[in-house]
Amino acid sequence: MESSGELVPFPLLTTPIESNYRACTIPYRFPSDNPKKPTPTELSWIDLFLNSIPSFRKRAESDETVPDAHIKAEKFAQRYTEILEDFKRDPESHGGPPDCILLCRLREIILREVGFRDIFKKVKDEENEKAISLFGDVVRLNDAIEDGAKRTENLVRGVFAGNIFDLGSAELAELFSKDGMSFLASCQNLVPRPWVIDDLDAFILKWSRKSWKKAVIFVDNCGADIVLGILPFARELLRRGTQVVLAANELPSINDVTFPELVEVISKLKDAHGQLAGVDASNLLIANSGNDLPVIDLTRISQELAYLASDADLVILEGMGRGIETNLYAQFKCDSLKIGMVKHPEVAQFLGGRLYDCVFKFNEVSR
C-alpha cells in the first residue's frame, strides 16, 4: 500500500500545515454531531460508494490476469458492502467516521486483499492508445488559434473535456460502456460559462503577463484526460519556458494514470529529437506522487516529488478527486489552480452548481 519511501508533506502548503490544511473539502460531520449516528451527508456519500460497487465488480470480473476473478469480484462486492453498511449503523467502525479518503482507501484495500491489482488496466491501455492517435490533431487545432487568450481558453476546455473520462463515476462508467466518448464533442458540449467557480479570465490575464518558472501538475485519469487534456496544456507551458512536473499515482486506482503508465505515454508521444509535437520537452519531468488513491492527502507525498516541487511557483490539481473533493480550499505559498469537472450530484449540491459543471479556481499569491 505505502510508497517505497517515507511519505512527507507537500513543501508548498501554507504553514503551519496542521491549522491550515485538511484533505477533505466537503465536511461530512461537525463536532456537534452525535459520534454514534451517521449524518445525512455521510449517508449520501456512503450510498454513492455503494452505488459504484456493481461497476467495480463488473470490471473486476473481467480481469483476465486474475484466476477465479468472478469469485474474487463477488467477495470484494460483499466485503465492501458490509463495511459501508457498518458505517450506516456506526460511523466510528472501521477507523471512521468516514470521509472520501477513508471510503476510497477501504475500497482499494479490499480489492488488493482479495487478489486484484489493477482492474481497469485493459481499458486504461485501450484509451491511452486511442488518445495518443488523436494527440497530433488536438495540438494542431490549438496551435491554429492565433489569439492568445482564445488559445488558452481552448486548452482549458480541453482539460475539462478530457476529465469526463472517469470510470469512478457510476453514471459516466455507464455512458462510457455504451459508446465511448468523443473528445471534440465533449469540448463543445461543456456547460456554458460562467461555471460554478470561474476564475478563467483572471488566469488568462496572469498567463498573458508572465511565465511561471516551474509548474507542478497533479494529474488524474488515463486516456483523453492526460493525453488530450493535460498534455496539450503542459506543452503550452513548456513552449513559454516553464518547467513542468507531472505528478502521477504510484499505484493503480480506478482509471487514474500511474507513474509507469505516464512514462510510457510520454515516450510514445515524443519524437526522435525529444520533442512533443514540435516543442522541446527536455523541461518536462514525470514524478511519482507516492499516492494510491483517486483523491490525495497532500501531507503524504513522495520525497521525490517534494524535492522536485520545492521551488515551483505554480501548483495545479486536476480532476474532481484531487482538485475538488480533497483540495479545493488548500492554500499554497505560490499561485495555484484547481481544475475539474463536477461528476457527482453530491458535489454539485455542495457547490451550488450543476452536474457536469466546471470548477476553475485560480489563487494568485502576491509577492
Side-chain angles (χ1 to χ4, degrees):
M1 284 292 296
E2 297 298 347
S3 171
S4 42
E6 188 191 342
L7 298 174
V8 298
F10 188 62
L12 296 171
L13 283 170
T14 302
T15 51
I17 292 169
E18 300 72 30
S19 54
N20 280 297
Y21 179 75
R22 184 164 176 262
C24 199
T25 300
I26 302 171
Y28 285 21
R29 64 168 44 240
F30 296 96
S32 55
D33 290 319
N34 182 344
K36 289 294 176 191
K37 194 167 175 278
T39 66
T41 307
E42 281 170 347
L43 288 172
S44 73
W45 279 89
I46 290 165
D47 283 338
L48 185 145
F49 279 81
L50 275 167
N51 292 339
S52 76
I53 291 175
S55 67
F56 274 74
R57 180 172 59 204
K58 205 167 159 190
R59 287 277 165 204
E61 282 170 349
S62 63
D63 189 339
E64 293 164 3
T65 67
V66 175
D68 301 323
H70 62 293
I71 297 168
K72 289 169 180 167
E74 180 57 35
K75 199 183 281 186
F76 154 74
Q78 280 177 359
R79 202 176 287 180
Y80 193 42
T81 301
E82 282 165 16
I83 285 177
L84 294 177
E85 293 295 349
D86 283 348
F87 278 133
K88 288 185 173 184
R89 286 186 290 273
D90 177 8
E92 293 191 318
S93 60
H94 305 288
D99 59 16
C100 63
I101 288 186
L102 182 59
L103 293 171
C104 288
R105 184 166 295 290
L106 288 168
R107 184 172 61 195
E108 295 300 336
I109 287 171
I110 297 161
L111 279 168
R112 288 170 197 156
E113 276 180 355
V114 299
F116 294 103
R117 179 171 162 73
D118 189 356
I119 61 174
F120 292 89
K121 183 64 182 157
K122 189 165 181 280
V123 70
K124 287 193 294 179
D125 289 347
E126 287 167 359
E127 288 308 303
N128 282 342
E129 288 307 316
K130 267 191 236 171
I132 285 168
S133 71
L134 296 170
F135 178 75
D137 293 339
V138 169
V139 162
R140 271 190 291 280
L141 284 170
N142 280 318
D143 286 356
I145 302 170
E146 286 176 18
D147 181 290
K150 288 198 175 116
R151 185 162 70 240
T152 305
E153 178 165 352
N154 201 57
L155 287 162
V156 167
R157 287 178 174 276
V159 173
F160 285 124
N163 197 231
I164 291 174
F165 175 56
D166 185 350
L167 301 179
S169 158
E171 295 87 351
L172 288 172
E174 186 64 31
L175 175 69
F176 183 80
S177 64
K178 283 202 183 91
D179 60 355
M181 280 181 259
S182 155
F183 176 74
L184 291 172
S186 301
C187 277
Q188 274 135 26
N189 294 337
L190 295 179
V191 297
R193 293 183 64 195
W195 300 317
V196 65
I197 299 177
D198 193 334
D199 297 330
L200 180 59
D201 295 339
F203 179 78
I204 289 174
L205 185 64
K206 179 76 184 268
W207 176 289
S208 70
R209 289 178 174 173
K210 78 160 276 186
S211 285
W212 291 276
K213 67 174 193 297
K214 189 184 220 177
V216 175
I217 307 177
F218 288 87
V219 299
D220 194 13
N221 305 319
C222 277
D225 194 347
I226 182 67
V227 178
L228 306 180
I230 285 296
L231 284 177
F233 185 86
R235 174 180 171 271
E236 189 75 8
L237 283 168
L238 291 168
R239 176 151 66 183
R240 295 165 55 90
T242 305
Q243 189 175 38
V244 177
V245 179
L246 300 177
N249 268 17
E250 174 164 5
L251 296 178
S253 184
I254 317 185
N255 57 321
D256 289 16
V257 67
T258 63
F259 172 72
E261 286 164 345
L262 186 52
V263 170
E264 189 180 337
V265 162
I266 303 276
S267 71
K268 286 180 176 174
L269 288 170
K270 277 185 186 174
D271 66 16
H273 307 290
Q275 292 196 328
L276 207 54
V279 173
D280 180 13
S282 57
N283 258 337
L284 180 65
L285 307 174
I286 308 161
N288 175 349
S289 69
N291 192 41
D292 60 356
L293 298 175
V295 289
I296 192 164
D297 179 347
L298 292 176
T299 64
R300 297 170 54 77
I301 62 147
S302 71
Q303 293 176 48
E304 170 203 5
L305 177 58
Y307 174 75
L308 286 173
S310 58
D311 60 341
D313 52 357
L314 177 64
V315 174
I316 300 173
L317 288 135
E318 185 245 348
M320 186 173 67
R322 290 165 189 79
I324 303 174
E325 287 176 355
T326 46
N327 290 290
L328 186 63
Y329 303 132
Q331 295 175 50
F332 298 94
K333 297 171 184 173
C334 62
D335 293 352
S336 64
L337 177 59
K338 288 83 173 238
I339 177 168
M341 183 172 278
V342 177
K343 292 171 280 194
H344 288 156
E346 291 77 4
V347 178
Q349 187 184 348
F350 173 77
L351 294 172
R354 304 153 283 187
L355 192 61
Y356 309 124
D357 211 327
C358 300
V359 166
F360 192 92
K361 185 172 168 55
F362 176 55
N363 288 98
E364 196 175 340
V365 169
S366 52
R367 281 188 179 77

